[in-house]
Amino acid sequence: MTNKKKVVLLGATGSIGENTLQVLRAHKDRLELVGIAAQKNTGKLAEIAHEFSVKHVSVFDEKAYAAAKTSGLFPQGTVFHCGLEGLKTVSMLPSADIVLAAIVGTVSLEAIMAAIDAGKDIALASKEILVLGGKFVMQHAKEKGVNILPTDSEHNAIFQCLQGAQNKDFAKIWLTASGGIFRNKPLAELRHVTPEMATCHPNWKMGPKITVDSATMANKGLELIEARWLFDASPVQLDVVIHPQSIVHSMVQFVDGSFLAQLSPPSMTFPIRHCLFYPERVCNDDPVLNFSNLLSLEFVEPDYKRFPCLQLALECLNKGGTAPAVFNSANDVAVASFLRREIAFTDIASVIEKTLNAFNHCEPDSLEQLMETDREAHLLAKRFL
C-alpha cells in the first residue's frame, strides 16, 4: 500500500479549502489531512476535523480560539493552536509533507516561510505571498530544496506547460483572464456597481474579495507579479489576454514561435489535484472537456480604460521594488471599503493610484522591510478613502 501524503490546509473554510477537501475525499487512500487552519469559522473547522479525523486545528482569531476550546464541537483529543504562532506551528507539523496555503492576503507569509524552513513543500494559492515577498520566498525555497507548487489555475497551467523546458526556451507567458462580470458593461455604469453585482463571477465560485479583484482585474495584475517570481520571468515576458470561457488557463510562447496551453473545465480541483500529487498524475471522476460538443474559444486584448487596476499593476511590475507590495496593500484596503459600501467600485483604482503616488518606493533589503512597507501602505491607503 502506498504511503499517504500528509497535507496541512491553511484556509480550510474558504473556497479553495472546499475544493481541496473535495480532492481529499476522492483520494482518501492516497492523501491524509493532518492540520487545518482558518480565521474564525470554528463550526466549519469542527465539521472538517470530524470528517477527516484531524488532530491539529489552528484558529487565528483569539476570541474564536477561546470559544472553540470549550465548545465541545471538536473531536476529543484535538490540539488547538492560536494566532500567528498557531499558524506557524501547524504549518511546521513534523508529520506534514505539503502545506496548501489558501488564506487570502499576506497573513500566512511568516507561516509559509516557517514551513519552508521545516522542509515542507508548498502548494501556493495565496498569490499575495509572492506579490509581497516573492524575491525572498523563492530564494528561501531554493536554499531549502523545497518545491513551490502554484495552485492558482493560471500559474498551475504555466507550470505544467514549462515542464522539461529551460527558462531561456520561453519568449512570453500569457496569463488568460475571463474579464470578470463587467467585461462588456458600459463604462459609464461602472460607478454604480454594487457589492452584490461585483461578487458574482460568470465562471468561477470564489470568495468576495477575489471575485471583486476579478471584476477590476486587479487579480490578474497580482498574478502577473506572482508569475514574475514563480517562473523567473522579466516584465517583458509577461502579458495578459482576455479569454471569456476560462478553459485555456494560460499559455507559454516559446522562442521558436510555438505555443503550449493547458485546458480543463473551470474547476479548481484540477490544479489542486496536480499540486498534491506532483510529479504524479492520477485519475479522477471530475467532468472533463468534451470536444464532441461545440466548443468556442475567444481571445481579445484587455481594455485598460475599463480595467485601470490592471494598468497600475503592470506599472508596478515594471517598477519593481516595494511598488507591488504597496499595490497589494492599497487594493486590500480599497476592496474592503467597497464591500462595506464606503466607496464606489470605480474608486478602488483611485485609492490604489493615490497610495502608489504618495509612497517612496525603493528596493527592499529584507522581508521584514517589505512587511513594514505593507503596514505603512495599509495606513496610507486608508487616508485616501
Side-chain angles (χ1 to χ4, degrees), residues 118-160:
K120 313 299 181 185
D121 284 342
I122 308 297
L124 190 62
S126 305
K127 62 181 64 62
E128 296 90 347
I129 298 297
L130 293 189
V131 172
L132 176 62
K135 172 183 177 181
F136 301 100
V137 174
M138 296 305 292
Q139 180 181 331
H140 193 44
K142 185 177 181 179
E143 290 170 353
K144 294 293 181 179
V146 164
N147 289 314
I148 302 292
L149 302 168
T151 310
D152 267 351
S153 62
E154 296 85 354
H155 300 100
N156 184 262
I158 297 161
F159 181 73
Q160 293 189 52

Side-chain angles (χ1 to χ4, degrees), residues 152-226:
D152 267 351
S153 62
E154 296 85 354
H155 300 100
N156 184 262
I158 297 161
F159 181 73
Q160 293 189 52
C161 291
L162 287 174
Q163 292 301 295
Q166 303 296 319
N167 276 19
K168 61 181 175 63
D169 291 341
F170 73 84
K172 183 167 284 192
I173 287 170
W174 290 90
L175 288 171
T176 55
S178 70
I181 196 167
F182 304 131
R183 59 178 174 253
N184 297 316
K185 195 175 186 66
L187 291 176
E189 296 180 15
L190 290 178
R191 183 162 187 83
H192 306 294
V193 162
T194 65
E196 289 78 13
M197 296 163 65
T199 50
C200 293
H201 196 281
N203 301 337
W204 299 90
K205 180 183 178 183
M206 305 180 292
K209 196 271 181 182
I210 192 173
T211 309
V212 174
D213 282 349
S214 177
T216 65
M217 280 192 68
N219 191 49
K220 204 55 52 179
L222 293 171
E223 289 175 5
L224 282 169
I225 298 166
E226 183 184 10

Side-chain angles (χ1 to χ4, degrees), residues 105-381:
T106 58
V107 68
S108 62
L109 175 57
E110 290 185 53
I112 295 306
M113 292 296 278
I116 293 171
D117 204 44
K120 313 299 181 185
D121 284 342
I122 308 297
L124 190 62
S126 305
K127 62 181 64 62
E128 296 90 347
I129 298 297
L130 293 189
V131 172
L132 176 62
K135 172 183 177 181
F136 301 100
V137 174
M138 296 305 292
Q139 180 181 331
H140 193 44
K142 185 177 181 179
E143 290 170 353
K144 294 293 181 179
V146 164
N147 289 314
I148 302 292
L149 302 168
T151 310
D152 267 351
S153 62
E154 296 85 354
H155 300 100
N156 184 262
I158 297 161
F159 181 73
Q160 293 189 52
C161 291
L162 287 174
Q163 292 301 295
Q166 303 296 319
N167 276 19
K168 61 181 175 63
D169 291 341
F170 73 84
K172 183 167 284 192
I173 287 170
W174 290 90
L175 288 171
T176 55
S178 70
I181 196 167
F182 304 131
R183 59 178 174 253
N184 297 316
K185 195 175 186 66
L187 291 176
E189 296 180 15
L190 290 178
R191 183 162 187 83
H192 306 294
V193 162
T194 65
E196 289 78 13
M197 296 163 65
T199 50
C200 293
H201 196 281
N203 301 337
W204 299 90
K205 180 183 178 183
M206 305 180 292
K209 196 271 181 182
I210 192 173
T211 309
V212 174
D213 282 349
S214 177
T216 65
M217 280 192 68
N219 191 49
K220 204 55 52 179
L222 293 171
E223 289 175 5
L224 282 169
I225 298 166
E226 183 184 10
R228 182 259 179 274
W229 297 111
L230 277 170
F231 307 112
D232 192 23
S234 65
V236 295
Q237 292 177 299
L238 297 165
D239 216 332
V240 173
V241 63
I242 301 289
H243 170 53
Q245 292 79 23
S246 297
I247 289 174
V248 175
H249 294 290
S250 278
M251 302 173 285
V252 175
Q253 177 183 348
F254 291 91
V255 292
D256 62 1
S258 62
F259 282 73
L260 282 182
Q262 187 267 335
L263 287 71
S264 67
S267 166
M268 284 303 298
T269 59
F270 285 86
I272 290 168
R273 183 180 291 103
H274 180 264
C275 288
L276 291 182
F277 283 100
Y278 178 82
E280 181 185 357
R281 289 185 184 269
V282 297
C283 297
N284 75 88
D285 296 326
D286 291 356
V288 298
L289 297 176
N290 184 353
F291 287 97
S292 64
N293 295 331
L294 185 64
L295 185 64
S296 175
L297 302 177
E298 304 169 71
F299 301 94
V300 296
E301 186 178 2
D303 178 357
Y304 292 98
K305 289 184 179 179
R306 176 178 297 277
F307 302 115
C309 288
L310 178 59
Q311 179 63 52
L312 291 168
L314 282 168
E315 293 170 8
C316 291
L317 172 69
N318 284 285
K319 187 175 294 185
T322 55
V326 174
F327 175 93
N328 178 64
S329 187
N331 181 60
D332 281 350
V333 170
V335 172
S337 183
F338 165 70
L339 288 171
R340 295 193 299 267
R341 305 177 193 277
E342 296 170 353
I343 63 172
F345 180 77
T346 49
D347 290 333
I348 294 173
S350 299
V351 171
I352 296 171
E353 184 173 20
K354 289 176 181 177
T355 307
L356 286 167
N357 290 339
F359 213 92
N360 294 318
H361 300 287
C362 63
E363 186 62 36
D365 296 322
S366 66
L367 190 56
E368 288 72 26
Q369 183 182 352
L370 277 171
M371 293 174 72
E372 180 59 29
T373 297
D374 179 65
R375 287 188 286 268
E376 290 177 8
H378 189 90
L379 293 172
L380 193 58

